[in-house]
Amino acid sequence: MLDNSLFLSELGLREINQGTSTGSNWIKSNGNVKDIFSPVDGKKIASVIETDENAYEETLKISINSFMMWRKTPAPRRGEVVRQIGDALRINKSALGQLVSYEMGKSLQEGLGEVQEMIDICDFAVGLSRQLHGLTMHSERPDHRMYEQWHPLGVVGIISAFNFPVAVWSWNAMIAIVCGNVCVWKPSEKTPLSAVATQNIISDVLKKNNAEGILNLLTDCSSQLVGKKIAADKRVSLVSATGSTKMGKSVAEVVGKRLGKSLLELGGNNAMIISENANLNIAIRAAVFGAVGTAGQRCTTTRRLIIHESKYDKFKDLLVKAYSQIKIGNPLDEDYHMGPLIDRSAVKMYSDAIKSIKNDGGVALIDGEVLEGDRFGSGCYVTPAIYEVENKFRTVQNETFAPILYLIKYSELSEAIHIQNDVPQGLSSSIMTSKISEAEEFLSSIGSDCGIANVNIGTSGAEIGGAFGGEKETGGGRESGSDSWKAYMRRQTNTINYSDELPLAQGIKFDF
């Protein structure tokens, strides 16, 4: 078993940690001291001093002053700072991955994978720093040139969720700072220590490069003061928020009232269609990892399996057999597949959802239960559950952030696609099929309405090279790869007249 004290010390965590930082500078706050406990064993990890109003104001002022300098720094030079951040994360990958696993409860492999995502997005952003290009257009007026260019926005607020304590921050932050912005980060109130550790890791890079105030940290574990202030603050040009649909609607409303910009990555209710032409060996692996990985606490977790009637009974048998082999326990021990839920409130949500689905008429294939005993002393461990349902059930229409999987039968592909789309959320989706016409229909305009649509891979997980996000109540925003960098910049169209005359557009005459 790993020694927790070793990786905590390696990451510079103390018994009590300041939670407000502008890089290498930790700002003193008189906020509440919040104890953080691990869902793995229920033990206290360390404490964080929350950001108070004075610390918030000081951090914002430093951020704004830093932006005045940072926006003039050439983009390739900004990319060089990101490259160094990536190298610092490489050195600390093992320790930070262990902390993510211990503080959040995901498996060690997933914790290490999350830090690898941070490293990967740094590599992506370094290349991007030399590709922030616009377009040139032909003017209708003689001796005129038109083009567009992109400028940084200013201060970008990042509100991240507990299930990916550090990776989602990096998706936003590394792209944002390469674009010339500065960032203020409000991590989840449930996982602030991973954020404090990350700030410790990058502090030397920021100090060495005279980049203090570029990446800033604000913590709030009890009052929601910081998140509300970021959303309402006119000095914050863009708010990128990851979390529940309820939270996202609140942020969007507040940011929208001040005509600010928001980038929302919210809930998912993801389905996998298992066609009569599916390779079941692939499908079962994708379904089980999609439903059980991170204890069902990914926004891309597989929540619904829509199975062709000809494969339904066989696939049920495969699921029962596979679930019987899932080992639940301390996620820092690589012998276990699944760790705990984040806290006891999540356990209650899991139990309430199971009661609700049974009241709706759901039939248990594998009934869920809360695990007890010395090995599960934190009270946060549950078993993955499977229920046969109808898509219209109220509980099925809502996202439950837990390892609960719903089975639905279909006969025609059009019916399966309708079921897939007939929920309020629209993040991730997939189809398992070896028939190209089915795959193409699923990916067409009459197919999946999600921001992510996969063929012969699961719904869970995404590479940093593709834009990540979804439609409908998932929020519509995009993070990470592709051209999502444009969300962090303002577009400007430029026209240059290099003649000695002033012809007007559309041939308008205005002589005097």
Side-chain angles (χ1 to χ4, degrees):
M1 188 64 64
L2 295 167
D3 185 344
N4 300 343
S5 62
L6 291 178
F7 64 77
L8 294 175
S9 174
E10 190 175 336
L11 293 168
L13 293 175
R14 303 183 177 95
E15 184 177 345
I16 300 177
N17 302 272
Q18 288 288 348
T20 311
S21 170
T22 58
S24 60
N25 178 34
W26 290 89
I27 296 176
K28 185 177 180 180
S29 170
N30 293 316
N32 295 327
V33 178
K34 180 69 174 180
D35 295 336
I36 306 302
F37 296 88
S38 171
V40 173
D41 53 19
K43 295 179 180 179
K44 178 182 171 181
I45 309 173
S47 301
V48 174
I49 302 174
E50 298 179 316
T51 302
D52 64 8
E53 291 204 36
N54 290 334
Y56 176 90
E57 282 300 318
E58 185 175 350
T59 302
L60 260 291
K61 288 177 183 177
I62 291 172
S63 300
I64 293 166
N65 288 335
S66 297
F67 172 64
M68 301 305 171
M69 172 274 296
W70 188 245
R71 66 182 176 178
K72 295 191 294 183
T73 303
R77 173 61 191 157
R78 300 193 295 249
E80 167 59 18
V81 174
V82 172
R83 185 194 66 77
Q84 294 175 34
I85 290 172
D87 285 347
L89 289 168
R90 283 182 172 88
I91 293 169
N92 292 276
K93 177 180 176 179
S94 178
L96 184 56
Q98 291 171 56
L99 174 60
V100 167
S101 176
Y102 188 55
E103 186 178 29
M104 185 268 154
K106 64 175 59 176
S107 73
L108 178 58
Q109 285 301 310
E110 291 181 274
L112 295 171
E114 180 166 348
V115 182
Q116 186 61 48
E117 284 189 56
M118 302 173 77
I119 295 166
D120 291 344
I121 198 64
C122 286
D123 290 347
F124 180 91
V126 172
L128 179 64
S129 68
R130 294 180 181 271
Q131 299 181 67
L132 301 173
H133 46 72
L135 300 170
T136 59
M137 292 79 75
H138 289 277
S139 173
E140 65 183 59
R141 290 168 284 185
D143 299 329
H144 282 57
R145 181 166 70 88
M146 292 179 64
Y147 68 95
E148 70 174 25
Q149 60 180 333
W150 298 82
H151 294 303
L153 291 170
V155 179
V156 172
I158 302 170
I159 301 173
S160 60
F162 75 85
N163 59 331
F164 282 86
V166 289
V168 171
W169 165 78
S170 69
W171 289 4
N172 287 273
M174 296 305 105
I175 302 297
I177 65 172
V178 157
C179 290
N181 304 292
V182 300
C183 299
V184 291
W185 177 21
K186 204 293 283 187
S188 169
E189 67 278 6
K190 299 180 180 182
T191 53
L193 292 174
S194 293
V196 171
T198 298
Q199 200 76 0
N200 284 336
I201 289 170
I202 67 175
S203 62
D204 285 346
V205 173
L206 298 178
K207 185 176 182 179
K208 181 174 65 175
N209 288 277
N210 193 29
E212 191 78 20
I214 304 307
L215 294 169
N216 307 281
L217 178 65
L218 306 164
T219 55
D220 183 358
C221 303
S222 53
S223 68
Q224 299 184 338
L225 167 73
V226 170
K228 290 178 180 178
K229 288 185 76 69
I230 288 174
D233 198 329
K234 292 182 179 180
R235 297 169 295 179
V236 179
S237 300
L238 169 69
V239 178
S240 176
T242 302
S244 69
T245 297
K246 179 181 178 182
M247 180 276 293
K249 287 180 177 179
S250 175
V251 168
E253 181 179 3
V254 174
V255 175
K257 282 183 177 179
R258 62 177 176 85
L259 296 181
K261 296 185 178 184
S262 58
L263 193 166
L264 304 175
E265 197 282 283
L266 310 175
N269 193 349
N270 316 296
M272 177 189 299
I273 297 173
I274 299 173
S275 155
E276 61 183 317
N277 300 296
N279 179 328
L280 297 188
N281 291 328
I282 294 176
I284 191 65
R285 292 176 64 83
V288 174
F289 174 73
V292 173
T294 325
Q297 297 173 112
R298 291 186 177 216
C299 50
T300 55
T301 289
T302 305
R303 312 234 176 253
R304 296 173 294 145
L305 291 183
I306 306 167
I307 309 169
H308 191 270
E309 57 190 7
S310 66
K311 302 291 185 181
Y312 190 82
D313 289 337
K314 183 174 182 179
F315 204 78
K316 280 202 306 182
D317 293 340
L318 291 173
L319 277 172
V320 171
K321 181 178 179 181
Y323 269 51
S324 70
Q325 300 173 60
I326 298 298
K327 298 177 182 178
I328 304 168
N330 188 324
L332 290 166
D333 185 334
E334 295 188 60
D335 287 339
Y336 295 110
H337 301 98
M338 192 180 105
L341 295 179
I342 184 64
D343 55 24
R344 294 193 180 191
S345 65
V347 174
K348 184 179 185 304
M349 179 180 63
Y350 161 90
S351 299
D352 289 347
I354 288 174
K355 291 177 184 176
S356 179
I357 199 64
K358 290 179 178 179
N359 289 336
D360 287 344
V363 177
L365 182 61
I366 296 177
D367 212 359
E369 62 177 314
V370 179
L371 295 172
E372 299 177 349
D374 292 342
R375 191 154 58 91
F376 310 115
S378 68
C380 297
Y381 290 85
V382 302
T383 61
I386 305 175
Y387 297 91
E388 297 178 281
V389 301
E390 293 181 36
N391 199 60
K392 66 182 181 181
F393 290 173
R394 177 176 55 87
T395 313
V396 178
Q397 288 286 309
N398 294 304
E399 179 189 41
T400 302
F401 228 51
I404 303 175
L405 182 63
Y406 302 124
L407 305 190
I408 304 166
K409 188 185 296 185
Y410 82 94
S411 56
E412 300 292 336
L413 182 58
S414 59
E415 176 193 4
I417 291 173
H418 172 75
I419 293 170
Q420 139 72 39
N421 294 341
D422 191 23
V423 292
Q425 309 84 0
L427 179 54
S428 187
S429 59
S430 74
I431 187 171
M432 294 290 168
T433 181
S434 58
K435 190 174 182 181
I436 190 169
S437 60
E438 289 185 324
E440 292 293 338
E441 182 174 344
F442 179 74
L443 299 178
S444 74
S445 61
I446 63 171
S448 170
D449 65 359
C450 294
I452 299 169
N454 298 327
V455 176
N456 292 331
I457 62 172
T459 65
S460 186
E463 297 182 31
I464 58 91
F468 183 86
E471 302 300 323
K472 302 187 292 188
E473 288 193 358
T474 300
R478 295 295 186 274
E479 300 169 329
S480 190
S482 186
D483 66 347
S484 62
W485 61 270
K486 294 179 179 179
Y488 304 90
M489 304 196 82
R490 58 181 176 89
R491 186 196 303 250
Q492 184 180 81
T493 299
N494 308 110
T495 306
I496 300 171
N497 176 8
Y498 55 90
S499 74
D500 295 326
E501 300 180 1
L502 187 67
L504 301 178
Q506 294 84 47
I508 293 173
K509 301 295 184 182
F510 191 77
D511 298 326
F512 57 91

